[in-house]
Amino acid sequence: MPVKCCFYRSPTTETMAWSENMDSLLANQAGLDAFRTFLKSEFSEENVEFWLACEDFKKTECREKIASKAKMIYSEFIVADAPKEINIDFSTRDLISRNIAEPTPKCFDEAQKLIYSLMAKDSFPRFLKSEIYKKLVNSQQVGNHKRWLPFL
């Protein structure tokens, strides 16, 4: 029987793991905070805010809350000249506009996929090259030592 060993997952290891894919970054609160800071510096934080609003929206079960949350997302991100208007194509915006009267938990899925794709292909690679990310990784490497956990 092979002997298993594991390492304490240091903050540096965790921070480095964010570079593997955007999902690991978005699933980690510290990673999400760093990404949001980066997007704010590029004046594009509406993308991650929309994505997060959609994630929350999809978990909503109450019909009344679905309607009110859908209207809030629509007015904040979708409608022309919205305060945090996202960059989506006309057909996606039009589809949402036609369906907003009777929203479903999936009514923003297409727009969310477009924004996720935009972040994954554009913002995420730039984030990994940014000073914000580099400083975070470097600051966590200073004085950081891996500790062995007992053999299992």
Side-chain angles (χ1 to χ4, degrees):
M1 178 164 220
V3 176
K4 292 183 184 176
C5 175
C6 62
F7 289 92
Y8 164 76
R9 188 167 178 131
S10 70
T12 303
T13 306
E14 191 171 86
T15 305
M16 295 298 290
W18 300 341
S19 67
E20 293 171 11
N21 63 58
M22 197 169 74
D23 289 334
S24 64
L25 174 77
L26 295 173
N28 179 286
Q29 188 60 52
L32 180 59
D33 291 344
F35 191 52
R36 285 179 99 160
T37 299
F38 169 74
L39 291 175
K40 282 181 185 177
S41 74
E42 295 209 326
F43 304 100
S44 61
E45 70 267 21
E46 70 277 358
N47 292 330
V48 74
E49 289 178 14
F50 172 73
W51 186 85
L52 289 168
C54 289
E55 287 297 292
D56 177 64
F57 178 74
K58 289 191 281 190
K59 295 173 189 168
T60 307
E61 295 177 8
C62 175
R63 256 182 120 59
E64 291 81 26
K65 285 187 179 182
I66 287 174
S68 66
K69 282 185 179 184
K71 287 176 182 158
M72 186 278 301
I73 291 171
Y74 182 75
S75 65
E76 193 167 342
F77 299 102
I78 306 296
V79 71
D81 298 322
K84 299 178 182 179
E85 186 177 357
I86 55 170
N87 186 10
I88 55 175
D89 59 88
F90 174 79
S91 62
T92 304
R93 188 178 311 273
D94 189 52
L95 177 65
I96 294 169
S97 296
R98 284 186 277 127
N99 294 327
I100 199 66
E102 292 185 35
T104 68
K106 296 180 180 275
C107 68
F108 298 109
D109 283 1
E110 203 56 42
Q112 187 183 21
K113 287 176 195 170
L114 289 170
I115 293 302
Y116 181 91
S117 179
L118 175 67
M119 290 191 302
K121 291 176 183 170
D122 184 47
S123 305
F124 181 63
R126 284 198 325 275
F127 168 71
L128 296 177
K129 294 174 186 171
S130 73
E131 286 303 311
I132 292 171
Y133 181 68
K134 289 176 186 175
K135 285 179 182 176
L136 191 58
V137 171
N138 290 337
S139 71
Q140 291 182 352
Q141 286 176 340
V142 174
N144 187 33
H145 303 290
K146 288 183 179 172
R147 297 181 298 185
W148 289 90
L149 291 181
F151 288 99
L152 300 175

